Amino acid sequence: MAKSEVTVGRLEIERLKLMLAKARREQFGQSSERGKLLVEQLELAIEDLEETQAEQETKAEFAAPEAAKQKHAQNPRPARRPLPDNLPVERIVEPMPCACGKCGSERLHKLGEVVSKTLECEPRRWKVIEHVREKFSCRDCEAITEAPAPSHPIPRGFAGPNLLAMVLVNKFLLHQPLNRQSKTYAREGIEIDVSTLADRVGACVVALDPIIEAIRIHVMSAERIHADDTTVPVLAKLKTVTGRIWTYVRDDRPFGGTDPPAALFYDSRNRAGEHPQNHLAGYVGLMQADAFDGYNQLYKAQRKPAPILEAACWSHGRRKFFDLAKSGEAPIASEAVRRIDILFEIERTINGKTPEQRLAVRREKSASIVADLEIWMRQQRTLLSSGNDTAKAINYLLNRWAAFTRFLDDGRICLSNNAAERALRGVAVGRRNWTFAGSDAGGHRAAAIYTLIETCLCRTRHRQVYAARRTMPNGSGMARRCHAGTVDRVHGCPIPFGIVWSFRAPLGRRAGGRSAGSGFACRARTA
């Protein structure tokens, strides 16, 4: 009976995996909302069935070990992923037998070894580092000489750079408020008050300010940026008010740019248009964003130093039709989604190519589809009342048609503003944990650290690596370092307190004299 249940479970898992692969391989809407819910439900179902199957197989193995071994020999499992080769190896040699297990003889001769590997994880290791500065007395003049004091990330701070980086990553990337971190450290035998952690976070923001400024200059020097915002509740008297976190993302990779991507964050008390106008006061170039009215002043011809060129987001326009098409009773909306999905399919084939190559393909394939879409939407608009939801979705595109079709004249423009939405995803996830910002100052601190961390994550997601030199999440990009007492060669920005910022080189290159791998490193280290 148990064997039959395991077999049925295995077949069900394979069926669900086939369904999941089919959903992911859809010709249109590959990463769109249409298949998102289905994919998420299939993944949860597979996870639950695999857990149940493992539970049943383990029970059967405990009940009949020999039968389980024979079964595994007859039906071996697929080869598992090899263990990482960059981890330290601890070799444990089991004691050899004293005599032959068959005849009892003690004359044993070694033939070889049978090695089985186990992946293990130890709790993080706390330590105290003593910096010893020896004093010397001059025999001639009796003057006392000693080595200079080592630099620290923050003045008079007892916390080392690795610990400070871990606190920031836990708070802003892993969304663990300081009170939870304090309890976690206490369980590990290290008592650090919440007020002490808060003091260190505030000091770190000041220490990291030159790096944040360097990122700001880098983002604002881009030819094209993505812009978006999300809500952040801010604590006020006896209530919370709805503040905003704004992001501006530089990502040149879609049109073959070599400059590293980066994200810049700002915080504000409300969503007034004056905030993006202040953020982008000196910016001139292309901006991809939604149809927020607060951006309109940026696009006006009389703007100084020059107007920003608007590029609308087709994902926003498509979403309005998609929401209507989900009901299955909106054929016009469904047809609009189908036509827009064709544009996204074309874009996937030219992603990462040069602007000239992208523009040539768009003029050859996309231009006619866009022209037909406009004619079709205007025809359908005449058949609908002004209050109809489908008519409103059509008007959203037609009223901004110049901004939506600008991608046909410029190969640098993306079809969507998804880069900015991805940058804000971490803020949206964090809201579920910390609920609200404690003050406007807290929102500004969060925006500063989000700028640094999200820039790290622009190319690869965070990987937790327990190594002596690891302090910040990894990513990849251009090799550049700013050492203590030196000046950033790109932006002329002095970096204090021994903080090191490096965009590591792509996989296979060298950065800073050691293998770069694939990662972005931001380290604060002592001299």
Side-chain angles (χ1 to χ4, degrees), residues 10 16-18 22 26 36 68 78 109 118 144 149 193 205 238 275 280 300 330 347 369 383 450 471 506-507 524 526:
R10 185 178 294 110
L16 290 176
K17 285 183 176 180
L18 288 174
K22 181 179 178 181
E26 284 184 328
K36 183 178 179 181
H109 176 70
T118 302
I144 297 177
D193 295 335
V205 172
L238 303 178
H275 300 300
L280 303 171
K300 290 187 175 181
E347 288 297 306
I369 297 173
L383 305 177
Y450 279 134
T471 62
L507 185 63
T526 56

Side-chain angles (χ1 to χ4, degrees), residues 12-328:
E12 180 66 13
I13 291 173
E14 294 301 322
R15 185 182 72 83
L16 290 176
K17 285 183 176 180
L18 288 174
M19 292 176 61
L20 178 60
K22 181 179 178 181
R24 286 175 171 167
R25 286 197 306 267
E26 284 184 328
Q27 183 177 5
F28 301 123
Q30 181 176 351
S31 60
S32 66
E33 298 91 335
R34 182 172 57 163
K36 183 178 179 181
L37 295 177
L38 175 61
V39 169
E40 290 178 350
Q41 292 300 317
L42 288 174
E43 289 175 341
L44 289 174
I46 292 174
E47 178 182 328
D48 184 76
L49 280 173
E50 287 179 336
E51 290 175 357
T52 302
Q53 179 181 341
E55 181 182 351
Q56 293 173 348
E57 289 180 346
T58 304
K59 288 181 179 179
E61 188 169 353
F62 284 161
E66 294 300 326
K69 288 182 180 180
Q70 294 178 2
K71 180 181 177 181
H72 291 162
Q74 296 173 356
N75 300 301
R77 294 183 176 182
R80 67 185 180 187
R81 183 178 301 174
L83 298 178
D85 57 3
N86 61 333
L87 297 179
V89 177
E90 179 182 341
R91 182 177 171 88
I92 300 177
V93 180
E94 302 295 340
M96 63 172 290
C98 298
C100 175
K102 185 174 182 180
C103 68
S105 172
E106 297 182 355
R107 300 179 59 193
L108 300 179
H109 176 70
K110 182 177 178 179
L111 296 178
E113 297 178 341
V114 178
V115 179
S116 59
K117 296 183 178 181
T118 302
L119 183 64
E120 185 58 279
C121 178
E122 295 181 351
R124 56 187 167 211
R125 183 169 61 96
W126 296 82
K127 62 182 178 180
V128 175
I129 299 178
E130 292 184 346
H131 295 276
V132 180
R133 292 180 289 148
E134 297 179 322
K135 292 183 178 182
F136 296 89
S137 175
C138 178
R139 292 187 178 274
D140 294 331
C141 65
E142 299 299 327
I144 297 177
T145 303
E146 65 181 46
S151 63
H152 294 280
I154 57 178
R156 300 176 302 278
F158 73 89
N162 285 4
L163 175 57
L164 294 174
M166 182 177 69
V167 171
L168 292 178
V169 168
N170 286 344
K171 178 178 173 62
F172 295 100
L173 177 63
L174 304 182
H175 320 298
Q176 297 178 4
L178 296 181
N179 63 324
R180 298 184 192 173
Q181 293 192 50
S182 179
K183 293 178 181 178
T184 300
Y185 303 151
R187 287 193 294 269
E188 298 174 7
I190 308 298
E191 298 283 349
I192 306 179
D193 295 335
V194 175
S195 60
T196 302
L197 292 175
D199 179 64
R200 299 300 179 264
V201 170
C204 283
V205 172
V206 177
L208 293 169
D209 185 67
I211 296 179
I212 307 303
E213 178 63 16
I215 295 176
R216 188 193 69 80
I217 296 173
H218 177 67
V219 171
M220 291 304 167
S221 65
E223 300 175 357
R224 176 185 60 86
I225 60 173
H226 297 265
D228 203 357
D229 66 283
T230 190
T231 59
V232 174
V234 180
L235 187 63
K237 292 183 179 180
L238 303 178
K239 62 177 182 178
T240 60
V241 296
T242 303
R244 290 279 167 169
I245 287 283
W246 307 79
T247 187
Y248 304 96
V249 178
R250 174 178 184 169
D251 191 352
D252 301 340
R253 293 171 297 171
F255 59 88
T258 57
D259 288 334
L264 178 65
F265 287 78
Y266 288 101
D267 170 77
S268 68
R269 192 63 178 264
N270 51 50
R271 205 191 186 198
E274 63 188 48
H275 300 300
Q277 294 167 28
N278 292 334
H279 303 158
L280 303 171
Y283 178 73
V284 176
L286 290 161
M287 187 173 79
Q288 303 212 224
D290 57 21
F292 173 47
D293 292 338
Y295 297 139
N296 292 343
Q297 294 294 328
L298 301 171
Y299 308 138
K300 290 187 175 181
Q302 61 270 27
R303 177 183 180 264
K304 301 297 181 181
I308 293 177
L309 293 178
E310 177 189 9
C313 174
W314 281 88
S315 289
H316 278 80
R318 178 189 179 279
R319 191 171 300 146
K320 296 180 181 299
F321 290 111
F322 174 81
D323 292 338
L324 296 170
K326 281 194 301 186
S327 64

Side-chain angles (χ1 to χ4, degrees), residues 7 35 71 117 141 148 224 231 255 364 422 458 470 472 474 495 511-512:
T7 303
K71 180 181 177 181
K117 296 183 178 181
C141 65
R224 176 185 60 86
T231 59
F255 59 88
E364 177 186 355
R422 287 193 298 268
C458 274
R470 191 277 308 166
M472 287 293 280
N474 291 335
I495 307 299

